[in-house]
């Protein structure tokens, strides 16, 4: 390469021989070529490393990173290692079992150019069931798309009140300068590690949301979220231990930031209320606001899946709802 790439794409992998090749192929199929792909091995014992080395030998834009012995493991630490090693001014992330749509980089780069003040660009993701056990569905943007959002609006709405869909890691572009300023991903988390970075950026910087579907989030029993759900540690729309830990961290982080925003403080109280005996919900209006927000989040989730089924019915791909 004769010049630095514009985008560094970071793909951590751990024993991902079944899907890593597809993920890499989706990057190489992008409609723009100004990128580098860092494949960060997190201690694989299968053929993942061979797959990564073989493809890196054929494309100078692709590099394989091995973590030093004794280094901290996990997706957050692997992504942070990629951030440190990357040379692009912009960062994107792709897990080894997910895929980019061909226009992903073209879309987010255009949005970044049009919104230079935005530290983060994201868009909706296709929840993808390649085995056909369920129907694919695309996250609705809930009126957020096509707009620049000032901080900390999306922190309150998406991460705390769960009014809309939290950005999937594979559908995000961030500026490296902003990411390093806030310290990257929090490596203490195995779940919610992505939301720790989104929270930091939402708190301090403007964010732009694009309406274009950017990636495919593979649904399969071996995923981290599926495994955590099976063990009772995670429930996407309900109360669970991993969210309690995330909310405790976020509360402390906001306090230490020195940013005082009454609406944000109220959203934190409401989000934490199911997890603490402290008087976080102070009055009946707050209790009703919390209940309504959680009910709306569940309705949005169900509506997106019903809409996907209706679309397939209308296009002749299913026989009934």
């Amino acid at each position: 390469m004769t010049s630095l790439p514009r985008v560094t794409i970071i793909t951590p992998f751990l024993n991902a021989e079944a899907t890593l090749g597809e993920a890499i192929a989706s990057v190489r199929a992008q409609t723009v070529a100004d990128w580098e792909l860092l494949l960060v091995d997190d201690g694989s014992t299968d053929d993942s490393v061979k797959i990564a080395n073989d493809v890196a030998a054929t494309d100078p834009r692709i590099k394989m990173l091995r973590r030093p012995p004794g280094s901290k493991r996990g997706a957050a630490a692997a992504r942070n290692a990629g951030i440190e090693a990357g040379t692009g001014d912009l960062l994107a992330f792709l897990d080894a079992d997910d895929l980019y749509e061909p226009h992903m980089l073209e879309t987010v780069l255009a949005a970044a150019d049009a919104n230079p003040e935005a530290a983060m660009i994201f868009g909706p993701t296709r929840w993808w069931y390649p085995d056909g056990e369920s129907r694919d569905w695309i996250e609705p943007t809930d009126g957020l798309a096509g707009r620049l959002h000032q901080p900390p609006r999306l922190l309150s709405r998406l991460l705390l009140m769960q009014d809309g869909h939290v950005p999937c890691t594979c559908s995000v572009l961030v500026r490296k300068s902003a990411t390093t300023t806030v310290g990257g991903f929090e490596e203490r988390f195995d779940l919610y590690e992505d939301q720790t970075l989104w929270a930091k950026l939402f708190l301090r910087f403007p964010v732009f949301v694009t309406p274009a579907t950017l990636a495919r989030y593979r649904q399969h029993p071996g995923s981290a979220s599926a495994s955590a759900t099976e063990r009772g540690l995670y429930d996407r729309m309900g109360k669970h231990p991993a969210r309690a830990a995330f909310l405790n961290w976020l509360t402390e982080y906001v306090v230490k930031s020195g940013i005082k925003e009454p609406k944000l403080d109220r959203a934190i109280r409401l989000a934490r209320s199911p997890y603490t005996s402290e008087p976080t919900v102070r009055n009946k209006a707050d209790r009703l606001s919390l209940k309504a927000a959680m009910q709306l989040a569940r309705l949005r989730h169900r509506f997106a899946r019903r809409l996907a089924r209706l679309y397939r019915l209308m296009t002749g791909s299913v026989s009934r709802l």
Side-chain angles (χ1 to χ4, degrees), residues 195-218:
Q195 293 194 42
T196 63
L197 179 55
W198 310 163
K200 294 175 182 180
L201 295 175
F202 287 169
L203 180 65
R204 298 179 181 274
F205 300 102
V207 175
F208 183 82
V209 182
T210 175
T213 303
L214 300 175
R216 299 187 184 190
Y217 176 31
R218 187 191 300 262

Side-chain angles (χ1 to χ4, degrees), residues 151-182:
R153 181 171 185 261
L154 294 182
L155 174 55
S156 295
R157 176 169 172 175
L158 298 183
L159 302 193
L160 291 170
M161 301 309 296
Q162 297 180 299
D163 180 13
H165 292 271
V166 174
C168 284
T169 312
C170 51
S171 294
V172 165
L173 181 81
V174 297
R175 298 192 191 274
K176 185 173 183 178
S177 58
T179 303
T180 54
T181 294
V182 300

Side-chain angles (χ1 to χ4, degrees), residues 40 65 269 271 314:
V40 186
L65 302 181
R269 292 199 313 272
M314 294 176 65

